[in-house]
Amino acid sequence: MTIEIASTAKSFGGWHKQVQHESKTLQCTMRFAVYMPPKAVSGEPVPVLYWLSGLTCTDENFMQKAGAHRMAAELGIAIVAPDTSPRGDDVPDDPDGAYDFGHGAGFYVNATQSPWSRHYRMYDYVVHELPEIVEAEFPVTSTRAISGHSMGGHGALMIALRNPDRFTSVSAFAPIVNPIDVPWGQKAFSNYLGDDAEAWKAYDSCVLMAKAEQFVPALVDQGDADGFLNEQLQPETLRAVAEERSYPLELRMQEGYDHSYYFISSFIEDHLRFHSRYLGA
């Protein structure tokens, strides 16, 4: 695998880099961001937190707005943030230019329907191809955690639930927890996966948690002033499943917080410390 370092910036004694590569999984050029803490810069391998962003975002949003580098540097955790979907002139987009489908809205699934199935395979990219590249090219271990926001929170929870042997812990900010029953998820899944709603369940965190055999410790933060709370997010659905299964989920409602990166930056230190306990950082 050939990678290209597109940009580099020093941050809290470590390095933030933007990396480009040709993805075999997505059949396009992809970019991801990586933060290497000082421990990794000195050559000591560190564990990795994978961050999945939400609708309309890229690899840049979290790295620039979340304020996570200081604590990642202190704890000795690398952070890897992929783009949210495949992009490029050859990659189909929403024909109406909508923000909640197509470019920037891959929903972390493996599409099965034309014309999306050739490129929109973000599940395989995040679970397999991206970690293989990161672990081959950077001083990191194979110990991984995963986190995300909104659509990326859906991705993080779903991927951890499907791969409890690959991730030590999972966290999310304002995740779409039950996509098969909300408008954002229904639009994406019907296009990417087709009309058979049974196929959608493989990517729904509430469905997956209800039948989980292995548990991954989970932390979820949700702002009670989030404009998407009632229609799209519905965290109480996930809480109910977790209580029924005695799943190790801590779900915190945060008074007055909305869906923005102001919310994420307010609690990202908690999430990094949470993951550090399980990563052994």
Side-chain angles (χ1 to χ4, degrees):
M1 174 63 65
T2 301
I3 66 169
E4 175 187 348
I5 305 300
S7 69
T8 302
K10 195 166 187 179
S11 178
F12 292 97
W15 289 97
H16 170 269
K17 300 177 186 288
Q18 285 186 306
V19 182
Q20 290 187 174
H21 71 102
E22 295 299 318
S23 170
K24 294 180 179 179
T25 302
L26 304 178
Q27 298 293 300
C28 67
T29 301
M30 287 296 288
R31 189 176 73 185
F32 64 89
V34 57
Y35 177 71
M36 286 288 125
K39 184 183 291 187
V41 174
S42 67
E44 183 177 346
V46 297
V48 183
L49 173 67
Y50 288 86
W51 172 270
L52 307 183
S53 288
L55 291 167
T56 76
C57 292
T58 68
D59 65 292
E60 295 184 325
N61 297 72
F62 177 81
M63 292 297 195
Q64 294 182 7
K65 296 179 179 180
H69 290 182
R70 180 186 63 81
M71 186 52 55
E74 178 180 322
L75 296 172
I77 298 173
I79 303 175
V80 173
D83 201 347
T84 51
S85 68
R87 298 180 195 260
D89 294 339
D90 295 332
V91 177
D93 196 5
D94 186 284
D96 299 321
Y99 77 94
D100 57 357
F101 186 73
H103 290 187
F107 267 84
Y108 306 102
V109 304
N110 285 341
T112 58
Q113 305 300 301
S114 180
W116 319 105
S117 56
R118 179 169 179 241
H119 297 286
Y120 284 81
R121 302 187 62 81
M122 288 297 294
Y123 176 86
D124 278 353
Y125 179 72
V126 170
V127 174
H128 299 294
E129 185 177 12
L130 181 61
E132 289 172 5
I133 295 169
V134 171
E135 290 165 21
E137 300 289 342
F138 295 95
V140 300
T141 71
S142 59
T143 306
R144 316 174 194 96
I146 193 165
S147 185
H149 171 227
S150 193
M151 177 187 72
H154 140 73
L157 289 167
M158 174 270 293
I159 286 172
L161 286 162
R162 288 182 56 161
N163 299 274
D165 56 331
R166 293 181 67 85
F167 298 94
T168 64
S169 51
V170 59
S171 73
F173 292 84
I176 307 169
V177 301
N178 195 197
I180 65 175
D181 283 334
V182 300
W184 276 341
Q186 290 169 344
K187 177 178 180 177
F189 287 7
S190 62
N191 281 282
Y192 292 139
L193 305 173
D195 294 331
D196 181 6
E198 283 298 310
W200 304 0
K201 293 180 180 179
Y203 297 101
D204 186 286
S205 294
C206 287
V207 173
L208 293 167
M209 185 176 285
K211 61 182 183 180
E213 296 182 357
Q214 292 178 254
F215 292 175
V216 179
L219 171 64
V220 171
D221 272 317
Q222 172 64 62
D224 69 2
D226 190 321
F228 302 113
L229 177 59
N230 295 324
E231 182 179 25
Q232 305 283 8
L233 306 178
Q234 302 177 5
E236 294 304 326
T237 307
L238 187 70
R239 188 197 298 275
V241 176
E243 289 177 351
E244 183 176 342
R245 294 298 317 281
S246 297
Y247 199 95
L249 166 70
E250 181 180 5
L251 197 161
R252 311 188 303 189
M253 295 298 297
Q254 303 291 0
E255 182 180 0
Y257 285 91
D258 60 15
H259 201 71
S260 71
Y261 266 83
Y262 297 110
F263 167 48
I264 294 170
S265 63
S266 297
F267 297 101
I268 191 61
E269 180 174 329
D270 289 357
H271 284 238
L272 287 168
R273 290 191 182 279
F274 165 78
H275 289 294
S276 180
R277 298 202 303 265
Y278 300 99
L279 287 168

